[in-house]
Amino acid sequence: HRKYAPAPVIAKPDRRWPDRRIERAPVFASVDLRDGNQALERPMSVEQKLQFFDLLVGIGVTEIEVGFPSASQPDFDFTRRLIEEGRIPDHVTIQVLTQAREDLIRRTFEALAGVPRAIVHVYNSTNPAQREQVFGLDRDGVRRIAENGARWVRDIAAEYPGTDWTFQYSPESYSATEPDYAVEVVDAVNAIWRPDQGQQVIINLPATVEITTPNVFADQVEWFCDRVAMREHFVLSLHTHNDRGTGVAAAELGLLAGADRLEGTLFGNGERTGNMDLITVAMNLYSQGIDPKIDLSEMERIEAVYRECTGLPVHPRHPWAGELVYTAFSGSHQDAIRKGMVHQQRRGGPWQVPYLPIDPRDLGRHYEAVVRINSQSGKGGVTHVLERDHGITLPRWLAVEFARAVQAAAEASGAEVNSRTVHSLFDRLYLAT
Ligand code: KIV
Ligand code: ZN
């Protein structure tokens, strides 16, 4: 994967600013079918969830939270269908969420009966506001909720020995919880699960509501890694939301701070402003020459399934994926892209075309959409369209003159001028007689 070169290293101004960059992809876990689904105006039907699940599997997501089966009958039914119809490939692990209550945990395991492998994800809120307002409990009382949850998960899992279980714990609202208290709770959970004795454990730190700048969240993650017990024996996962618009940045800085795994959703669907956008993080890695192990080469199909299942649009300027993000209307950009493409073809090597951070063909996009003409366009764009679509190469003086005519036509119509119209205008002005 050397098509894209990482950004250049900046000399460190001083020792407090270490040069850190993400060197390899985290494990990506999708929470589309749970966090994403629970935030939809119209939750997905079982059929839509199946379609979405197949999409996630198809693009290479290996850990998929499929629902909250103890809280929702459709989620229970969906989990059963996945298992009974044998729809879970060997390399994919499903995950289900549950609160730390015995009856709910028991029901969760019923939903999973017969699955070869699964992640049981138990959570409880640990931040002071919820301790006081929702549970009316002090720190010890809330820690006991987590401990009881961990015990029930461990003991009920033992009743299903045919399954390879991973246990996951989330101190919900980790980012709003006192750091020392979060470590205390996680240590207590791990003392029951014993990842150091071979139990597979994921500890997931949620920024349930994003309340700080991403560097502060990363500091919280680093602080946690430095103090938590048995760190080398469990997978550290992050679950960021996007309330301040920096869910992706928080997740990326969190990786630098020591996390191994990220939970997110396609296009950032999820509660309120959404979850971390898995597509953006994966593409950010890809564009720096790191294989995200997520295949986004059929972006239009991914968007179509997403739209159909969630009922949500993808913004035309959505990072990497939006319909307009590889399109240039303005003259100077078009000119630079045209020259850059010629250069790229001749020279080869890492991708370096101005204004195009990656080759749009990598996402299944076509070059036709890159240069489009309206009143903002100049000779570079017009020349590009005539050459690309009609095999006509113009000398510079004619390109300048013809671009003026195209610009006048675009100004008069106030709209985009498509390639056919550019050609017929050229035909009328220069060839027709
Ligand atoms: O945002 C959150 O805290 C969650 C947890 C249940 C992990 O979705
Ligand atoms: Zn969430």
Side-chain angles (χ1 to χ4, degrees), residues 27 47 68 136 168 309 364 378 406 427:
V27 172
E47 288 308 320
F68 198 153
Q168 174 166 331
C309 294
V406 175
D427 195 39

Side-chain angles (χ1 to χ4, degrees), residues 34-35 97 121 123 170 172-173 204 206 208 239 241:
R34 198 276 301 166
D35 215 322
L97 185 69
H121 178 187
Y123 77 99
S170 292
E172 196 198 30
S173 289
N204 185 47
T208 302
H239 176 110
H241 278 268

Side-chain angles (χ1 to χ4, degrees), residues 222-300:
E222 193 165 38
W223 198 95
F224 178 91
C225 288
D226 286 348
R227 286 162 181 82
V228 73
M230 306 184 224
R231 171 64 193 95
E232 65 281 22
H233 295 291
F234 62 82
V235 171
L236 183 66
S237 175
L238 304 178
H239 176 110
T240 60
H241 278 268
N242 199 35
D243 298 81
R244 297 166 52 97
T246 54
V248 162
E252 291 180 331
L253 293 189
L255 285 181
L256 292 175
D260 314 302
R261 174 187 192 262
L262 295 180
E263 293 193 343
T265 57
L266 303 192
F267 306 110
N269 181 34
E271 289 283 4
R272 305 177 308 283
T273 52
N275 286 72
M276 176 208 89
D277 175 18
L278 197 152
I279 288 188
T280 298
V281 178
M283 284 305 302
N284 288 353
L285 293 170
Y286 180 82
S287 67
Q288 289 286 295
I290 297 167
D291 182 357
K293 309 229 165 58
I294 302 286
D295 179 0
L296 300 172
S297 61
E298 289 184 52
M299 190 57 85
E300 270 160 37

Side-chain angles (χ1 to χ4, degrees), residues 148-169:
N148 288 335
R151 249 180 241 113
W152 288 316
V153 166
R154 180 197 62 192
D155 295 348
I156 300 172
E159 296 171 23
Y160 296 85
T163 298
D164 179 10
W165 297 111
T166 297
F167 302 154
Q168 174 166 331
Y169 174 69

Side-chain angles (χ1 to χ4, degrees), residues 358-373:
I358 61 156
D359 182 348
R361 286 180 313 182
D362 292 358
L363 300 179
R365 294 273 161 77
H366 302 292
Y367 287 146
E368 283 69 30
V370 170
V371 170
R372 287 165 55 181
I373 308 294

Side-chain angles (χ1 to χ4, degrees), residues 346-365:
R346 285 206 194 116
R347 174 183 42 79
W351 181 262
Q352 262 189 335
V353 176
Y355 303 112
L356 282 184
I358 61 156
D359 182 348
R361 286 180 313 182
D362 292 358
L363 300 179
R365 294 273 161 77

